[in-house]
Amino acid sequence: MTENVYEVLALRFGTHADRPARDNFLLDDGQFTPGSDMPMDFYLWVVRNDRHVLLVDTGFPEEMARRRKRTLFRDPVAALADLGLQAQDVADVVITHMHYDHAGNLDRFPHARIHLQEEELRFCTGPAMRHHVVRRPFEPVNVQTAVQGLFEDQLVLHRGQAEIVPGVTVHPVPGHTPGTQVVRVPTARGWVVLASDATHLWANIRLRSPFPILDHLTPMLEGYERIEALADGDDHIIPGHDPQVARRFPRLAEAPDWVCLHEPVLDGIAVTAAESGALR
């Protein structure tokens, strides 16, 4: 643990409530309850202490929610006001990858340094986007905004591990996309890893059963091992879309829509491979 210790806050700003459980796993080994649903929620994260504030991912706007048939509880950028933050004052934003639900709203952070893996920008502006099934999770406007950031000295491209603010590092974990990165944060309870879509759900990593939207399978599985090595335990790995995240951690007293990932999980609330009842 470094001398820099941070709070980590998560906002559940939307959901895909009627998602079949089968859609969250690459393979069906007979583990699903027939006809069961396994909702997938949408989050963004704030890492902060008395010297630094870092936003991890930027969510997506209402227009995109309607078009993609997702439910938006709150405008994720406006919700930063709960923490006394305004988008124009945010200095650093990590984009874990360029899918629509993580890299929307980039244009609303005009003064932020946007931290992205170089390989991710290469992927979403390269020949792979000729294929409809590959480009479907991307939004052209988000990619265009990122590219514009190159010309405005706003986009910071990383080649591998990098320190963003003192003690907080990003680590490439390819698989879901070639440039997916996770964020490792020193907290009072140990090293917390914001895994984003390197594991959508706790069940993905614990069952070694990946989410079906992926670029390469073997790096995704190897990424699980790397995430586990970076974190100080299973509960220190924060998946990108698991509804259990919003239920297992205590709420921030002054802003109850946000949960405190730097604090231990609530007593008596354990997560298992069958956390939603969708798995046998």
Side-chain angles (χ1 to χ4, degrees), residues 97-249:
H97 62 297
M98 285 295 297
H99 282 175
Y100 80 94
D101 50 329
H102 296 263
N105 298 312
L106 275 177
D107 58 334
R108 298 169 71 182
F109 295 88
H111 306 301
R113 292 178 292 270
I114 307 298
H115 299 269
L116 187 71
Q117 286 292 319
E118 182 177 306
E119 185 59 34
E120 187 72 358
L121 186 66
R122 182 180 295 112
F123 179 63
C124 67
T125 58
M129 295 300 107
R130 295 181 299 113
H131 305 293
H132 170 73
V133 69
V134 176
R135 68 176 181 258
R136 184 174 178 181
F138 295 89
E139 286 283 339
V141 64
N142 297 339
V143 177
Q144 291 162 10
T145 301
V147 171
Q148 184 67 31
L150 282 174
F151 291 85
E152 298 175 356
D153 298 323
Q154 187 179 12
L155 189 65
V156 181
L157 295 175
H158 299 286
R159 298 179 180 177
Q161 179 178 334
E163 186 175 64
I164 307 302
V165 294
V168 179
T169 49
V170 293
H171 303 258
V173 183
H176 181 59
T177 68
T180 295
Q181 58 185 350
V182 303
V183 183
R184 189 183 194 225
V185 185
T187 74
R189 73 180 182 105
W191 289 104
V192 167
V193 174
L194 300 176
S196 185
D197 288 7
T199 180
H200 283 62
L201 307 167
W202 268 304
N204 293 127
I205 188 170
R206 296 187 182 185
L207 294 174
R208 293 300 197 264
S209 183
F211 192 79
I213 297 177
L214 75 168
D215 182 61
H216 282 94
L217 177 58
T218 300
M220 185 112 190
L221 293 168
E222 292 172 345
Y224 292 158
E225 297 172 348
R226 186 171 193 196
I227 292 167
E228 289 171 340
L230 290 170
D232 272 347
D234 289 347
D235 289 332
H236 294 70
I237 298 169
I238 308 301
H241 293 279
D242 201 316
Q244 290 291 322
V245 170
R247 294 193 279 266
R248 298 192 68 225
F249 290 93

Side-chain angles (χ1 to χ4, degrees), residues 258-270:
W258 296 79
V259 296
C260 301
L261 307 180
H262 54 281
E263 296 186 11
V265 297
L266 296 169
D267 290 341
I269 304 180

